[in-house]
């Protein structure tokens, strides 16, 4: 319960995008085909080598994640069958989907497939009486209920692709960003409370990944803002508070020497300046939306968005 409360606080100021370490929910209401295409392009963490896909909800933990995120996006739905009561996921019927005959309307897991190509096997949370495979006709075009959606209670329903709902994609990335401005210490505590760690950025690929994540979770860098606008910088989980010049992640491991020598610092950083902070120096790491690093103060004068990281990544 503490971690759920921590995650809710972490995500409270995000606009329309709600992530966990498994899934990301987008609150915009779109039809199934649009949701499918958008998830294919949501490839944070893959290095661009693997397309994304609509969410694979193949175990209870992911089903619970979706309930949490849907509640955050739409705390109150407009009714049992309202668009914002449901979220698109990646289960679709790929066999016996003509809608004709008794066998076509009886649920068989072998007829259904997740967007990542896997089979649902034994896990299912269908509403009573579903899937019912009822047909519909719109402007002379026949539609079958060959797509699946999940409601606030975690129950599944088959429905038509023309319906519009929020949608959830599988998340291949490691970073969860918060738009709520915090001091460095408060950011660390917020990550801990959500069962996460404060983010590590250890190579060029991870610089690129956190930049991509910042676009989705915090918004594009606005070049009209000042370079040192606090909203342009994201706290990370490293400091040199113990020994000046020896940077270590919060778990005590030092930054790789080769990486440290080649990190793209924002000039003249790291400068360890003591200005504006009562003589205390700049010992805490952050990264800009455009990928440069800064050493800064753990001070109320430096409240910034921050990045957490999924454990084990």
């Amino acid at each position: 319960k503490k971690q759920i409360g921590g995650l809710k606080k972490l995500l409270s100021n995000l606009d329309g995008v709600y992530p966990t370490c498994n899934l990301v929910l987008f609150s915009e209401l779109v039809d199934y085909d649009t949701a499918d295409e958008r998830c294919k392009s949501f490839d944070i963490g893959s290095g661009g080598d693997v397309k994304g896909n609509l969410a694979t909800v193949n175990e209870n933990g992911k089903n619970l994640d979706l309930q949490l995120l849907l509640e955050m996006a739409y705390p109150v739905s407009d009714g049992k069958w309202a668009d914002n009561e449901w979220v698109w996921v990646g289960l679709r019927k790929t066999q016996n989907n003509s809608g004709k005959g008794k066998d076509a309307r009886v649920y068989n897991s072998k007829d259904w497939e997740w967007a990542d190509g896997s089979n649902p096997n034994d896990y299912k949370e269908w509403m009573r009486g579903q899937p019912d495979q009822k047909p519909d006709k719109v402007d002379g075009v026949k539609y079958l209920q060959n797509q699946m959606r999940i409601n606030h209670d975690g129950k599944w329903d088959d429905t038509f692709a023309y319906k519009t709902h929020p949608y959830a994609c599988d998340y291949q990335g490691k970073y969860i960003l918060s738009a709520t401005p915090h001091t460095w210490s408060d950011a660390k505590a917020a990550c801990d409370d959500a069962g996460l760690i404060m983010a590590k950025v250890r190579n060029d690929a991870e610089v690129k990944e956190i930049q991509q994540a910042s676009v989705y979770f915090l918004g594009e860098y606005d070049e009209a803002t000042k370079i040192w606008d606090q909203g342009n910088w994201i706290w990370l989980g490293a400091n040199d508070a113990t020994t000046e010049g020896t940077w270590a992640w919060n778990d005590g491991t030092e930054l790789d020497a080769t990486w440290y020598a080649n990190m793209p610092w924002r000039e003249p950083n790291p400068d360890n300046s003591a200005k504006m902070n009562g003589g205390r120096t700049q010992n805490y790491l952050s990264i800009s939306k455009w990928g440069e690093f800064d050493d800064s103060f753990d001070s109320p004068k430096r409240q910034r968005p921050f990045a957490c990281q999924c454990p084990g990544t």
Side-chain angles (χ1 to χ4, degrees):
K1 288 184 178 180
K2 179 182 178 183
Q3 289 182 359
I4 291 174
L7 185 62
K8 286 183 175 181
K9 289 181 180 178
L10 201 71
L11 307 182
S12 60
N13 281 342
L14 296 183
D15 185 15
V17 186
Y18 303 89
T20 69
C21 290
N22 295 313
L23 309 164
V24 177
L25 183 145
F26 296 86
S27 64
E28 184 181 359
L29 304 178
V30 299
D31 63 37
Y32 179 86
D33 290 335
T34 300
D36 189 42
E37 286 302 313
R38 289 188 181 178
C39 284
K40 285 177 180 177
S41 66
F42 182 67
D43 59 358
I44 293 174
S46 73
D49 298 328
V50 180
K51 283 186 176 181
N53 53 260
L54 274 163
T56 304
V57 189
N58 54 5
E59 48 93 10
N60 190 53
K62 289 185 177 180
N63 213 57
L64 291 173
D65 279 357
L66 265 191
Q67 287 179 255
L68 169 68
L69 299 180
L70 189 55
E71 178 191 349
M72 293 189 69
Y74 292 98
V76 179
S77 82
D78 295 329
K80 180 178 180 180
W81 301 108
D83 289 348
N84 60 8
E85 170 67 13
W86 301 87
V87 55
W88 286 124
V89 295
L91 191 62
R92 72 285 301 274
K93 194 175 185 187
T94 57
Q95 299 184 72
N96 294 321
N97 56 5
S98 66
K100 297 179 180 179
K102 182 179 178 181
D103 290 345
R105 298 193 181 190
V106 174
Y107 176 69
N108 183 337
S109 65
K110 294 180 180 178
D111 292 340
W112 294 76
E113 185 177 271
W114 293 107
D116 68 357
S118 63
N119 187 270
N121 297 318
D122 294 332
Y123 182 71
K124 58 185 183 295
E125 295 289 350
W126 293 102
M127 293 178 67
R128 186 177 180 179
Q130 304 297 332
D132 59 5
Q133 293 285 280
K134 288 183 178 179
D136 191 18
K137 187 174 284 188
V138 178
D139 296 330
V141 178
K142 184 179 180 180
Y143 290 90
L144 296 172
Q145 297 184 108
N146 291 332
Q147 294 75 32
M148 194 268 275
R149 58 187 179 177
I150 298 178
N151 70 8
H152 275 70
D153 295 323
K155 294 302 181 182
W156 300 5
D157 175 50
D158 60 332
T159 193
F160 305 104
Y162 62 76
K163 297 283 189 177
T164 58
H165 302 298
Y167 60 99
C169 309
D170 280 337
Y171 188 33
Q172 303 176 73
K174 63 174 71 70
Y175 301 121
I176 294 180
L177 277 62
S178 175
T180 305
H182 276 17
T183 65
W184 186 89
S185 290
D186 288 345
K188 180 180 181 300
C191 291
D192 291 343
D193 287 346
L196 307 170
I197 63 172
M198 212 170 178
K200 301 178 180 182
V201 178
R202 298 159 289 195
N203 50 53
D204 289 332
E206 291 185 341
V207 170
K208 182 178 179 180
E209 180 179 337
I210 204 166
Q211 284 181 268
Q212 291 176 320
S214 75
V215 170
Y216 275 99
F217 302 144
L218 305 179
E220 295 271 5
Y221 164 52
D222 183 356
E223 295 185 4
T225 60
K226 295 181 179 180
I227 293 294
W228 295 109
D229 185 296
Q230 298 304 304
N232 288 332
W233 295 87
I234 302 159
W235 286 124
L236 302 176
N239 69 84
D240 68 343
T242 301
T243 304
E244 179 57 40
T246 301
W247 286 86
W249 302 110
N250 289 343
D251 61 10
T253 58
E254 293 185 10
L255 275 66
D256 177 79
T258 302
W259 169 238
Y260 180 75
N262 292 282
M263 285 171 64
W265 291 91
R266 177 72 187 183
E267 293 184 1
N269 296 297
D271 60 359
N272 200 38
S273 172
K275 293 180 179 178
M276 298 174 60
N277 199 37
R280 289 174 291 178
T281 54
Q282 300 184 106
N283 295 321
Y284 301 91
L285 189 65
S286 61
I287 189 171
S288 68
K289 287 185 174 181
W290 56 92
E292 290 183 313
F293 291 91
D294 173 46
D295 59 336
S296 196
F297 306 110
D298 183 12
S299 163
K301 297 178 181 178
R302 289 290 183 271
Q303 299 206 35
R304 296 174 166 177
F306 58 97
C308 305
Q309 184 169 332
C310 300
T313 59

